[in-house]
Amino acid sequence: MAEYRPSFIAGMINLKEDDLIFTEQCFQRTLLEYDNYISISGTPTLVWRRTSQIAYVGDEFCILTGWTKKQLLGKSTFAVEIMDDKSCVEYFQLFSKIAFGDFKGATMTECTLLTPSGKNIRTSSVWTLKRDVFGIPMMIIANFLPILT
């Protein structure tokens, strides 16, 4: 986090209250647009803010992991809370590389998710970084497929 924190501060220092309200409206509008797409895709999907706070949970993600939407969205739950330690560290390393670089797309990685009972589910995942109008990371859209071997 120490690697990308200064870039977040530098990127946000000149934003006014109206800018922050506008970016939150854009975030919510984008979630609504993705909801339509995710609901018909059939892929286990999770969307979180740049802070890692979970903002959207697809039905298929709940089926895969056993988490309910209420468990993940009913309180402030962070994506890193439902990853094993190794995946959590790898996520922060990856995010620090792509958050403020010239990255414009998605990256594929292996991620181990934790179920509510503590069971591990190895997955192959694709994380797509979406930026706001100021070029600051806004959300991560993550698609997970279980590794069956």
Side-chain angles (χ1 to χ4, degrees):
M1 292 168 77
E3 291 181 36
Y4 58 82
R5 185 172 177 248
S7 298
F8 269 123
I9 293 170
M12 296 185 70
I13 200 162
N14 294 322
L15 299 182
K16 307 290 185 236
E17 183 178 358
D18 289 342
D19 297 328
L20 297 174
I21 291 169
F22 177 72
T23 57
E24 180 60 23
Q25 289 171 333
C26 290
F27 181 89
Q28 295 298 328
R29 182 175 292 132
T30 303
L31 270 183
L32 288 173
E33 291 173 13
Y34 283 150
D35 177 51
N36 292 330
Y37 172 72
I38 292 169
S39 65
I40 62 171
S41 74
T43 304
T45 303
L46 195 63
V47 178
W48 60 82
R49 295 174 178 273
R50 59 182 162 234
T51 61
S52 171
Q53 181 181 9
I54 297 172
Y56 181 90
V57 181
D59 293 334
E60 290 79 8
F61 185 85
C62 295
I63 294 167
L64 174 66
T65 63
W67 291 100
T68 65
K69 288 184 181 187
K70 184 176 181 182
Q71 288 173 306
L72 297 175
L73 299 173
K75 61 179 182 71
S76 288
T77 304
F78 296 86
V80 293
E81 292 180 71
I82 61 170
M83 295 177 192
D84 74 343
D85 292 342
K86 181 179 181 239
S87 297
C88 180
V89 169
E90 289 173 356
Y91 166 73
F92 281 115
Q93 290 171 339
L94 178 64
F95 187 76
S96 68
K97 289 178 188 172
I98 65 175
F100 290 97
D102 60 357
F103 180 79
K104 297 184 188 332
T107 187
M108 188 170 176
T109 187
E110 186 174 318
C111 179
T112 302
L113 299 172
L114 304 175
T115 67
S117 64
K119 180 183 169 195
N120 290 349
I121 300 173
R122 283 183 56 224
T123 67
S124 178
S125 61
V126 176
W127 296 345
T128 304
L129 179 73
K130 175 85 173 147
R131 297 180 187 280
D132 64 20
V133 296
F134 301 104
I136 300 169
M138 177 173 67
M139 67 173 55
I140 290 82
I141 302 95
N143 303 108
F144 301 91
L145 292 176
I147 297 174
L148 301 175
T149 58

